[in-house]
Amino acid sequence: MESQQTPEILDYRNENGHGWSFYKHDGILRAVLTNPEDDKEMIRKVQKLELRDDDVMIAAYPKCGTHWLWEIVNMIRAGNSEYNKKAKGFAMLELPKSERADKLPSPRVLNSHLYFRHLPEEMAEKRIKTIFIMRNPKDVSVSLYNHVKGSKKFTTFDRTYSEFLDLFLEGKVPGGGYVDYLKDWQQVKQDNPDLPFLTLFYENLKEDPVKNIKAVADFIGQSVTDELCQEIAEACSFKKMKVADAEVKEDYAERSETWKEGHTGMFRKGEVGDWKNWITVAQNERFDDVIDRTFKATGIAFTYE
Ligand code: A3P
C-alpha cells in the first residue's frame, strides 16, 4: 500500500543543489514542497471533497491563465462584470486552506493544477463541467520561471532561466512535466466521454476574448448578451485585472507575503510570445527538439506568437 510506505525521494536538484526533489504518488511525480505525507493527506482530502451539481472545475497546468479564466467564469455566473472579492486561491483545491472550498457559496468555480486522478472522486459521477486551458510551452516555461523565482514560499528557485529550462524540459519542476500533464488529460477525456469538457487556449482567449467568453457561457449553460461578454472581456484585460488584484481582493495582504520584494506577483506580463525575450537561439532549438519528440504526439497545435 503506497500510502503506508515511506516514499522514495527522487532528488532531481542540479549540481548546485538548486531545483526540487520529487516523490511518486499514483504514478505521478509530485515535487516535495512540504513533505510527502502532508502532500498525500492534502490529495486525500481533495479526493473526498463533496461536489455540487452546479460546480464548474477549471483545470490547467500552472501558468496557463487560471486566474484569468477563473475571474471570467465567475463574472459569467454572476451575470455582471464585477470582480469576485475573493482571490482565486480560495477556490483552489490543493492550497493549504483548500477546506475553504467547502464554505464557498454555490455556484462555485473551483480550480486546480492536480491530475484528474487526484481531483474529487465525484467529478465523473456528478459530470462536473470542466474547463481545461492550455498555453504554449515556451511562454509557460518563462512564466513558471518568473513565478518560482519570485515566490517566497515553497518554490523559490534563485537561479537563471537557463538552469530552470534544463529542469523544465525534463519535467523536473513543480507541476511536473507539462507534456505528461497534457497527455494524462487527453486520456481522461477519452476515458470519460460523459464528462462535460471544454478546451481553451490562452492565446485564443487573448486574441478574441469575447468569442471565448461566449463559448464558456454556452458551455456552462448561462445566457449572456454580447454586451456583457464585451464588458467581461474589458474588465478581465490584463491591465485591469492587475489593478483589481491589488485593489479589490480581500486577501491581497495575505498573498503579498508570497512574493519577494519588487516581484510583479501573479500578474507579470500577460503576453503571447514573451518567450522571445528570454530564450536564446540555441535554447530555442533545444526546445523545438523536445516539442518535436514529445509534445507533437499530443496533436495539440500551439500558437507561439
Ligand atoms: P505571465 O507570467 O506570462 O505574465 P496562472 O493564473 O495560471 O498562474 O497564469 C499566470 C499567467 O497568466 C501569467 O503570465 C499572468 O500574467 C497571465 N495572466 C493573468 N491574467 C491575465 C489576463 N487578464 N490577460 C492575460 N494574461 C493574464
Side-chain angles (χ1 to χ4, degrees):
M1 299 280 283
E2 192 173 19
S3 61
Q4 285 164 0
Q5 289 168 359
T6 307
E8 184 190 357
I9 302 293
L10 306 162
D11 191 346
Y12 289 159
R13 289 171 301 164
N14 66 18
E15 66 273 19
N16 300 321
H18 291 274
W20 298 270
S21 300
F22 294 79
Y23 79 102
K24 235 180 194 174
H25 186 35
D26 300 332
I28 295 170
L29 269 192
R30 302 266 320 152
V32 181
L33 302 180
T34 48
N35 67 65
E37 287 318 312
D38 289 352
D39 192 60
K40 280 188 197 171
E41 176 62 12
M42 174 281 288
I43 289 171
R44 204 188 53 77
K45 272 193 193 159
V46 170
Q47 288 171 322
K48 295 291 168 210
L49 182 79
E50 262 180 49
L51 294 180
R52 306 174 194 159
D53 291 331
D54 58 357
D55 284 337
V56 168
M57 179 69 72
I58 296 176
Y61 186 81
K63 314 322 287 176
C64 288
T66 333
H67 284 74
W68 189 14
L69 185 57
W70 186 78
E71 201 73 55
I72 287 173
V73 180
N74 274 296
M75 286 184 182
I76 294 172
R77 280 243 150 135
N80 61 48
S81 57
E82 284 167 31
Y83 302 103
N84 196 305
K85 297 270 190 297
K86 300 252 181 259
K88 176 187 88 62
F90 271 83
M92 186 177 199
L93 301 186
E94 60 267 43
L95 284 190
K97 293 178 185 168
S98 65
E99 62 274 13
R100 291 185 294 201
D102 256 343
K103 300 189 180 79
L104 289 175
S106 292
R108 297 183 300 188
V109 184
L110 305 172
N111 71 93
S112 179
H113 299 316
L114 291 172
Y115 277 64
F116 182 75
R117 76 194 75 160
H118 288 161
L119 286 179
E121 287 162 358
E122 292 181 343
M123 284 285 292
E125 176 198 326
K126 294 209 164 158
R127 304 181 72 234
I128 297 300
K129 291 195 169 118
T130 302
I131 311 179
F132 189 74
I133 185 161
M134 295 180 266
R135 186 181 191 185
N136 82 64
K138 294 180 184 176
D139 280 328
V140 168
S141 75
V142 168
S143 186
L144 188 55
Y145 168 66
N146 279 285
H147 183 122
V148 298
K149 196 167 161 62
S151 168
K152 268 191 217 165
K153 290 185 191 166
F154 308 127
T155 57
T156 308
F157 183 77
D158 207 5
R159 305 298 288 178
T160 61
Y161 172 73
S162 176
E163 280 181 90
F164 178 80
L165 181 61
D166 291 340
L167 296 166
F168 181 83
L169 292 178
E170 291 176 22
K172 296 171 178 172
V173 291
Y178 184 24
V179 73
D180 299 330
Y181 181 84
L182 294 174
K183 283 182 179 164
D184 197 80
W185 273 97
Q186 282 188 324
Q187 192 61 46
V188 166
K189 208 175 151 187
Q190 215 172 305
D191 296 346
N192 297 275
D194 291 339
L195 187 72
F197 210 81
L198 176 72
T199 303
L200 300 178
F201 284 94
Y202 177 100
E203 294 80 11
N204 294 348
L205 190 53
K206 187 90 188 166
E207 168 93 12
D208 194 343
V210 172
K211 183 176 159 196
N212 282 271
I213 289 167
K214 182 82 178 63
V216 172
D218 288 348
F219 175 70
I220 62 176
Q222 194 101 7
S223 71
V224 281
T225 60
D226 291 349
E227 205 181 12
L228 178 61
C229 291
Q230 187 69 45
E231 279 172 25
I232 293 176
E234 277 165 29
C236 290
S237 70
F238 176 77
K239 259 190 184 164
K240 290 206 172 147
M241 273 189 68
K242 189 175 171 82
V243 173
D245 186 51
E247 292 182 354
V248 179
K249 302 292 180 180
E250 282 167 359
D251 68 334
Y252 184 74
E254 180 190 321
R255 278 177 307 126
S256 55
E257 283 165 21
T258 306
W259 302 104
K260 285 185 191 162
E261 190 87 7
H263 188 267
T264 51
M266 206 51 92
F267 296 86
R268 188 187 64 90
K269 200 152 183 187
E271 294 290 344
V272 177
D274 185 43
W275 61 269
K276 291 186 177 166
N277 298 315
W278 292 82
I279 300 183
T280 65
V281 172
Q283 286 167 346
N284 196 34
E285 279 171 11
R286 203 149 58 87
F287 216 135
D288 284 339
D289 180 51
V290 171
I291 289 170
D292 279 348
R293 284 188 291 104
T294 60
F295 284 86
K296 270 239 168 89
T298 64
I300 301 165
F302 290 108
T303 308
Y304 289 92
E305 47 197 279

